[in-house]
Amino acid sequence: MQVYRLLTEEDDAVFCHKVTEALTKGWELYGSPTYAFDPSTNKMRCGQAVVKEVSDDFVYDRDVKLGAL
């Protein structure tokens, strides 16, 4: 079974570190990154979807912290 996360952050090194951390924990890039202007902060934001294979025994629950998988 796969689980999915969308990582987002302002366009700075924090975003790159967030994605790199996910990759080191076994997450894989899913699709292309996205880049958009956030008018509420007047800054550009980045997004990257990531997926990870988990055991078929995994029981999904809305309260699960996906980043902890």
Side-chain angles (χ1 to χ4, degrees):
M1 169 181 184
Q2 275 190 338
V3 289
Y4 169 93
R5 293 171 64 196
L6 179 63
L7 307 175
T8 62
E9 188 61 59
E10 288 183 9
D11 180 24
D12 58 18
V14 173
F15 175 74
C16 296
H17 287 286
K18 187 183 278 192
V19 174
T20 300
E21 180 181 23
L23 294 174
T24 65
K25 292 182 176 181
W27 292 83
E28 296 179 15
L29 300 177
Y30 183 81
S32 299
T34 186
Y35 193 60
F37 180 70
D38 181 351
S40 66
T41 62
N42 244 10
K43 296 184 179 181
M44 295 301 289
R45 292 192 62 85
C46 298
Q48 175 64 58
V50 292
V51 293
K52 185 175 186 179
E53 281 294 325
V54 294
S55 167
D56 287 335
D57 296 336
F58 174 75
V59 177
Y60 175 73
D61 181 310
R62 286 182 156 271
D63 294 328
V64 70
K65 298 277 186 190
L66 294 173
L69 295 177

